[in-house]
Amino acid sequence: MERTPTAAAVTALLAATALGLAPHQAQAAPAHATANAATAAPTTRTAVQTAAADLRFHDIPGSGGITLKGNVFTPDGAATGRKYPLIVLPTSWGMPQIEYIAQAKKLADSGYVVVSYTSRGFWLSGGQIEVAGPPDVADVSAVIDWALANTPADADRIGLGGVSYGAGITLLASAHDPRVKAVVAMSGWADLIESIYSGRTQHRQAAGLLGAAGYLTGRPGPELQSVLGDFLGSRLDREAQMIEWGRRRSAAEQVDRINANGAAIMLGNAWGDTVFPPNQYAKFYERLTGPKRLEFRPGDHATAEGTGLLGLPNDTWTNAHRWFDRHLKGERNGIDTEAPVQIKSRGDGGYEGYPDWASVGSGGTEKLPLTDSEHLFANVDSGANGGVVILSSVLDQFFKAPPVASIPLLPRSFAAVWQSGRHDEARHIRGTVRLHTTVTPTKGDGTFVAYLYDVGPLGIGKLVSNAPYTFHGRTPGQAFGVDLELFSTAYDVPAGHRLALVVDTVDPLYIEHNPTGAQLTFSSPAGDPSYVSVPLRER
């Protein structure tokens, strides 16, 4: 029976109007939308007729008997009996079903059936938040089944796409549903542990932000509530269980199945993503064996593709459309003949293409020796930090204003500092900066954060990259070696500037594990010298 439009449908209608989709009275579903009794969702709630595509709001059956709130765009005047490639778009964390409405319309205008739905546990969709667990993966297949039964979707041409949470779900779904032929995963994760627990350090602000948004917009399941409490509460006795929970939700753990299914995978992310840093995407990309593409741009979490969600011109979404056109429609648009790794530096330069990730820093490495021994006291923020989740990298993206620190004024009791000489020529940093050092703690547990700065003539350092490192169960007074990858980036250091490595023990982005009174000594033994290795672009 026909239901009364819900708040979600009304909101969607308002959004549709704002995007230029003229409202039209609800009408009977066309023949291709008539549901099979065994698989049908409740009758269409609301329809919006546009000049070029038909938008309808549906209750879609998910896995385990729950209902997912979704919408469907079909090409204008879809011919009876004709099949169109299908794209399924699960929503991001905390976002309702209208998230992709602008891009879904564009895709439908170019000949796709597009189904978007609110991920389970959020807003009006049923179930609880499972964090890309098996029920979420099964939902994708259930939505595909429903679309094949209720829309003119082609079973041989199925693609998945999504931003953030939707990206993580689609990558996992491509490992489990061989019908999927193409995936576009933007600002997502392939390795959940490497994303929010890199360097064995909890990413406090990222996890806190996701947790708060989950409680505000959805219904976290008991497993998520337990894991989030253990994680933010530093329950080390539960560390193994937390890591296993994250691995089950990481496409990197299922890359063999993804490769066996053979879907064409496009990955896109931002250099400054403070929720899902870029390193884990690059490592995952290198392990893919099918058609693949990797794009990195300036910005923070979901900001590289954010303007596209508003229907504005956006490079990420433009290439996403091209990727689907090539691998679902067979169009020879050149995207598969371009260099598969495309990056844009945080400066004002254009795109740079590379044959693979390893070639990004093909100009060799420059080593900054860390010859002086440095001793620091823990538990005090020196003033060097990675900024604020989301905000800081957005400022860098749009205003070239990354977090800064006055290097000469950093208190040397709480910050270890090493600087290079002034560079006569510009340095084009590309890829992953690596730190090798020797640490001697006074306590068995501890945390430090390494920062690489671009230091100008006045001593003001602009943050190039950073990464945390935590250790547990070490012998006090006994030195041990550390190899730490900083978050990958593309940054241009002007001529006349220096590079500086700064290490301290407190950063608001991360949870630190320094006991009261802890001290750390960073040294450079003759037989194992300490250094920072900086990858450079080929001249």
Side-chain angles (χ1 to χ4, degrees), residues 311-465:
L312 301 174
N314 181 276
D315 291 348
T316 308
W317 280 103
T318 295
N319 288 337
H321 288 233
R322 294 173 64 214
W323 191 254
F324 285 134
D325 289 346
R326 178 68 187 97
H327 295 285
L328 297 182
K329 290 182 178 180
E331 293 183 5
R332 297 195 173 278
N333 54 22
I335 194 166
D336 55 338
T337 62
E338 298 170 358
V341 175
Q342 295 285 326
I343 70 171
K344 188 174 184 180
S345 79
R346 290 159 55 191
D348 296 320
Y351 287 94
E352 302 167 8
Y354 298 88
D356 50 40
W357 175 248
S359 300
V360 171
S362 57
T365 59
E366 183 171 313
K367 284 190 176 181
L368 170 61
L370 311 179
T371 54
D372 296 330
S373 179
E374 295 282 348
H375 182 85
L376 57 88
F377 294 88
N379 307 116
V380 175
D381 190 344
S382 70
N385 63 67
V388 179
V389 66
I390 305 296
L391 176 62
S392 294
S393 292
V394 170
L395 293 175
D396 183 33
Q397 177 183 1
F398 293 107
F399 303 106
K400 304 297 184 292
V404 298
S406 176
I407 304 304
L409 297 181
L410 291 175
R412 295 312 198 257
S413 295
F414 309 115
V417 179
W418 298 267
Q419 293 193 75
S420 72
R422 286 193 175 89
H423 297 298
D424 294 332
E425 298 179 348
R427 296 293 192 271
H428 303 286
I429 300 173
R430 299 291 185 271
T432 307
V433 175
R434 291 175 169 84
L435 166 65
H436 175 75
T437 190
T438 296
V439 181
T440 305
T442 61
K443 305 288 186 178
D445 301 335
T447 297
F448 68 84
V449 184
Y451 310 89
L452 186 69
Y453 283 100
D454 161 24
V455 185
L458 299 179
I460 301 300
K462 294 183 177 181
L463 186 65
V464 177
S465 185

Side-chain angles (χ1 to χ4, degrees), residues 191-218:
D191 187 329
L192 191 56
I193 299 302
E194 184 66 19
S195 294
I196 61 173
Y197 195 50
S198 68
R200 207 180 175 186
T201 308
Q202 300 106 309
H203 293 212
R204 182 208 314 265
Q205 290 187 12
L209 177 66
L210 292 173
Y215 278 99
L216 285 172
T217 62

Side-chain angles (χ1 to χ4, degrees), residues 16-316:
T17 302
L19 290 168
L21 308 179
H24 185 76
Q25 288 185 339
Q27 52 189 308
H32 64 67
T34 303
N36 180 281
T39 60
T43 305
T44 300
R45 291 176 179 271
T46 311
V48 178
Q49 183 68 39
T50 76
D54 182 58
L55 167 62
R56 293 177 181 273
F57 297 91
H58 290 268
D59 287 347
I60 301 174
S63 66
I66 72 159
T67 296
L68 300 170
K69 299 298 180 178
N71 58 67
V72 179
F73 270 104
T74 53
D76 181 47
T80 302
R82 181 179 175 184
K83 297 294 184 180
Y84 299 86
L86 168 68
I87 296 176
V88 175
L89 303 171
T91 58
S92 303
W93 186 271
M95 295 296 288
Q97 61 176 321
I98 62 169
E99 176 185 12
Y100 302 111
I101 200 167
Q103 290 299 325
K105 178 183 182 300
K106 290 183 178 182
L107 286 164
D109 286 346
S110 64
Y112 291 93
V113 172
V114 185
V115 180
S116 176
Y117 67 92
T118 303
S119 298
R120 72 163 51 219
F122 289 102
W123 296 95
L124 297 179
S125 280
Q128 296 177 318
I129 301 172
E130 303 286 349
V131 194
D136 293 294
V137 175
D139 283 344
V140 175
S141 294
V143 171
I144 291 174
D145 293 340
W146 180 88
L148 294 177
N150 293 279
T151 75
D154 187 342
D156 295 323
R157 296 182 292 169
I158 296 173
L160 306 177
V163 174
S164 184
Y165 190 50
I169 290 174
T170 59
L171 283 177
L172 288 161
S174 71
H176 292 269
D177 197 324
R179 295 175 296 180
V180 176
K181 299 298 188 293
V183 174
V184 176
M186 296 168 276
S187 289
W189 78 89
D191 187 329
L192 191 56
I193 299 302
E194 184 66 19
S195 294
I196 61 173
Y197 195 50
S198 68
R200 207 180 175 186
T201 308
Q202 300 106 309
H203 293 212
R204 182 208 314 265
Q205 290 187 12
L209 177 66
L210 292 173
Y215 278 99
L216 285 172
T217 62
R219 300 168 300 283
E223 189 176 22
L224 171 58
Q225 294 181 46
S226 176
V227 168
L228 191 61
D230 291 342
F231 185 79
L232 293 176
S234 299
R235 286 283 306 276
L236 290 177
D237 60 312
R238 298 283 300 166
E239 183 182 40
Q241 291 86 344
M242 287 186 282
I243 289 175
E244 180 57 31
W245 179 87
R247 284 176 174 165
R248 293 197 303 269
R249 290 158 170 79
S250 297
E253 297 290 323
Q254 302 183 41
V255 68
D256 291 340
R257 296 184 64 165
I258 294 173
N259 288 334
N261 287 340
I265 309 290
M266 173 180 157
L267 306 170
N269 204 355
W271 294 119
D273 195 320
T274 46
V275 179
F276 303 129
N279 302 44
Q280 46 94 28
Y281 247 20
K283 293 175 183 177
F284 176 70
Y285 170 84
E286 289 289 84
R287 297 175 62 196
L288 294 172
T289 58
K292 59 184 181 178
R293 182 179 177 92
L294 177 67
E295 299 183 354
F296 284 140
R297 299 177 175 83
D300 206 308
H301 185 62
T303 65
E305 54 274 349
T307 56
L309 294 175
L310 301 175
L312 301 174
N314 181 276
D315 291 348
T316 308

